[in-house]
Amino acid sequence: MHLVTALERWQQLARTLSYHTYRYHVLDEPEISDAAYDSLMNELRALEEHFPQLCTAESPSQRVGAAPRSEFIKVEHPVPMTSLANAFDEAEVRKWHERVGRLAGEARLEWVVEPKIDGLAVAITYENGQMALGATRGNGIVGEDITPNLRTVRDIPLRLPVEGSNGSAPRPRYGSWPSFPEHPEVAARLEVRGEVYMKIQDFERLNQQQAKVGEKVFANPRNAAAGSLRLLDSGITAQRPLSFFAYGLGYIEGVKLTSQWEMLGYLGRLGFPLNPHIRFFTDFEDVIAYAKEWMTLRETLAYEVDGIVLKVNDFAIQKRLGVSGREPRWALAWKFPASEAVTQLLDIWVNVGRTGVLNPNAVLEPVEIGGVIVSHATLHNEDYITERELRVGDHVVVKRSGDVIPKVLHSLPEMRPAGTVPWQMPATCPTCGEPVVRAEGEANHYCTNAACPAQLVRQVEHFVSRGAMNIDGLGTRLTERFVNEGLIHDVADLYFLQAEQLAELEKLGRKSAANLVASIDASRARGMARLLTALGIRYVGSVVAEILAVAYGSLDELMLATREELESIHGIGPISAQSLVEWFSREPNRELIKKLRQAGVEFASHRTAPLAEGDAPLAGLTFVITGILPTMSRDEARVLIEQHGGKVTGTVSRQTDYLLAGEKAGSKLTKAQQLDVKVLSEEGLREMAYREDL
Ligand code: IVH
């Protein structure tokens, strides 16, 4: 075949394939069978094999992924990707509405309401109709180039306009998009923003597959989407069932659009998938009414929605309202209440933590909450249980919000079955049988046996975890066997394990044993910060460990540091300093360090400079902290903020950007509300600080 004939046939095939991809994925209205589609694709591939020059980046064949990369390249967003201000109830939403009304002046306001899709924000640049770049949001200023990965997402057009998309853009459930000419002009350059997500069913299927082959299972669809998108091997991304909804523009050159609603219509016409539940309103009361419908609507959808987004329609008014901090004033996320359900408390079992703390856990009659089956919940400590008068057999209200471990809120004593008794912490350790004590002034009970096997198992789990030494192939079961069979007495013993010796263990096998030993071996070189994190010293998490690694350069230097010296380091508080000095002064710990050294574990730091300015997601922001945060102390929160470039002050003023508030926040919260200072939860803070890690 001649190249010219081949080219003609290729163009025909490419157009036909991209049309059918669009029918199938975006419109959900396929016209041809999968088999017919495959045969067209096979012909296209065969042609490209013969004439490699035909195989361009926008060929439908490229949906299968490209050669793996060794790292992600950072890209700066030409227009920052802001986040959204949150509201949690109607009163807050009305307050926002009033404020917008005040700031917008005389203008008549129109509204667009969109679901807040729980996935991952991306920005996709098109040049002359061709997809040129796809990036993650990152910290909003700098993201990562994930172009090959995004090319594999079937919903995302590789070329604009998509063949066959004219006039058949997915329609909103009510009303219609503004009309565009038959062939809308394709902007010379535009950056489309939207959410990559995974449908709940796809997520479940993926997890089943993953579990079957012994691979990582994901906690929720959002994590699955994020994990799949950020793979260096886009060939694997191509096999992950990812979907996309467009909801915005970073910029557009050459085409004039004047409102959100018009823009959505334009994007739909070009071939982008739009959520069919997006609606347009002129009366804010209708916005509120629609929002209320969402409380039930969300349960019926095939994907997870964590709230709805209210947007001022008119771009000129949006511009007038502007941005405050990192959040535009013209948009608001109305978050759904955390989901709750009633179920039965079947048992309370106590597990022993890394430091010997006894953690009571609720074993629940499995119940579905927000699409996830919940069968366990944390009960924190004995006080938590007695304060709530929880008894085994009770019906309890369980709450799940986002990724956090579900909580038992309270019991329903009116439904209490006969014969239940109040719960008590066992007097002896459930693992080793040694006595349990409750430390003076503390809520926790401890197992008094330093050699308790359960503690060692937890220590090893922490030591090998991803944020620490990152050792693959050593799960809890295997760790328990190593401990019970006396193969290890502390974490350093891991480094003395021999493949031959492990291969003799029942059911482990030669190959896994060799892999495990290789993985342990590789972990020797992780460096000071990881090692320090892995040691599990109280109040020394990964953030503090990073700071210390930069400050001291090696574990040996750190061991010589005094409390005063440690405290003088920016980001290290008195509590961490105290804890470190105490830990290093204890003889068994010094022995452990010695053993790790003998094992050839690297004590030097890889990192010699703190995070660069531009990488700091909280740069330029001022925080005040108040109340009891769910998982960190205020000190830890301060370190987290400072490590990510933010500043913490003691009093709320007009200069404050955010009040980080936990439970029992008092006068500072009132003051913040008076001054219209944004209030942030711990979860919100983590989101802001760690978004860059996605
Ligand atoms: S608009 C104007 N619209 O929510 C501010 N965001 O917390 C830009 N999201 O990072 C965002 N659905 O990942 C917007 N319909 C929607 C959205 C949406 C989901 C996510 C997005 C963003 C986060 C903001």
Side-chain angles (χ1 to χ4, degrees), residues 272-351:
F272 287 95
L274 302 174
N275 188 281
H277 302 284
I278 298 179
R279 287 186 69 179
F280 172 84
F281 298 99
T282 51
D283 186 338
F284 199 72
E285 289 312 313
D286 293 336
V287 172
I288 301 267
Y290 186 50
K292 289 181 179 163
E293 282 178 39
W294 267 96
M295 302 301 151
T296 43
L297 182 55
R298 68 182 290 214
E299 306 291 343
T300 68
L301 299 178
Y303 41 87
E304 285 195 352
V305 169
D306 57 342
I308 52 172
V309 187
L310 317 185
K311 295 179 180 173
V312 170
N313 186 39
D314 192 291
F315 285 166
I317 303 179
Q318 285 187 5
K319 207 166 156 199
R320 199 178 320 151
L321 290 167
V323 178
S324 124
R326 277 150 200 273
E327 298 162 355
R329 293 195 188 84
W330 50 265
L332 182 73
W334 185 347
K335 292 285 201 70
F336 296 136
S339 352
E340 295 176 14
V342 174
T343 189
Q344 202 171 12
L345 179 57
L346 300 178
D347 198 359
I348 296 178
W349 58 252
V350 174
N351 93 58

Side-chain angles (χ1 to χ4, degrees), residues 496-672:
F496 297 96
L497 293 172
Q498 304 290 323
E500 296 78 0
Q501 169 194 16
L502 298 187
E504 282 167 30
L505 282 181
E506 211 187 318
K507 288 202 196 126
L508 187 59
R510 193 154 290 281
K511 183 126 180 282
S512 324
N515 285 344
L516 176 57
V517 170
S519 180
I520 294 173
D521 191 22
S523 78
R524 284 189 167 92
R526 298 274 184 260
M528 173 176 174
R530 298 289 206 108
L531 177 59
L532 194 53
T533 308
L535 291 176
I537 302 169
R538 270 184 111 185
Y539 305 110
V540 183
S542 57
V543 176
V544 168
E546 284 270 9
I547 300 175
L548 293 169
V550 174
Y552 286 94
S554 96
L555 202 63
D556 292 301
E557 290 296 324
L558 175 66
M559 284 174 74
L560 300 173
T562 63
R563 219 183 109 171
E564 290 70 21
E565 209 183 292
L566 286 164
E567 273 185 49
S568 72
I569 297 170
H570 182 71
I572 307 296
I575 300 177
S576 305
Q578 168 84 19
S579 171
L580 276 157
V581 172
E582 267 178 16
W583 197 91
F584 283 118
S585 69
R586 292 188 52 214
E587 201 41 46
N589 296 336
R590 298 181 79 89
E591 278 304 318
L592 180 68
I593 297 287
K594 214 154 129 196
K595 225 164 133 183
L596 285 166
R597 187 198 315 279
Q598 282 161 3
V601 175
E602 192 182 319
F603 282 11
S605 164
H606 295 171
R607 192 99 102 90
T608 49
L611 280 177
E613 269 293 308
D615 285 346
L618 307 181
L621 297 175
T622 302
F623 294 77
V624 174
I625 310 174
T626 185
I628 304 161
L629 302 171
T631 77
M632 25 175 158
S633 69
R634 285 201 285 274
D635 224 48
E636 287 171 305
R638 181 177 57 79
V639 170
L640 180 75
I641 291 169
E642 291 176 349
Q643 251 297 293
H644 290 82
K647 210 173 88 186
V648 178
T649 63
T651 43
V652 178
S653 75
R654 279 180 210 287
Q655 269 67 53
T656 311
D657 291 296
Y658 291 95
L659 177 71
L660 174 62
E663 248 176 84
K664 302 200 178 129
S667 60
K668 285 183 183 164
L669 182 58
T670 322
K671 181 89 180 285

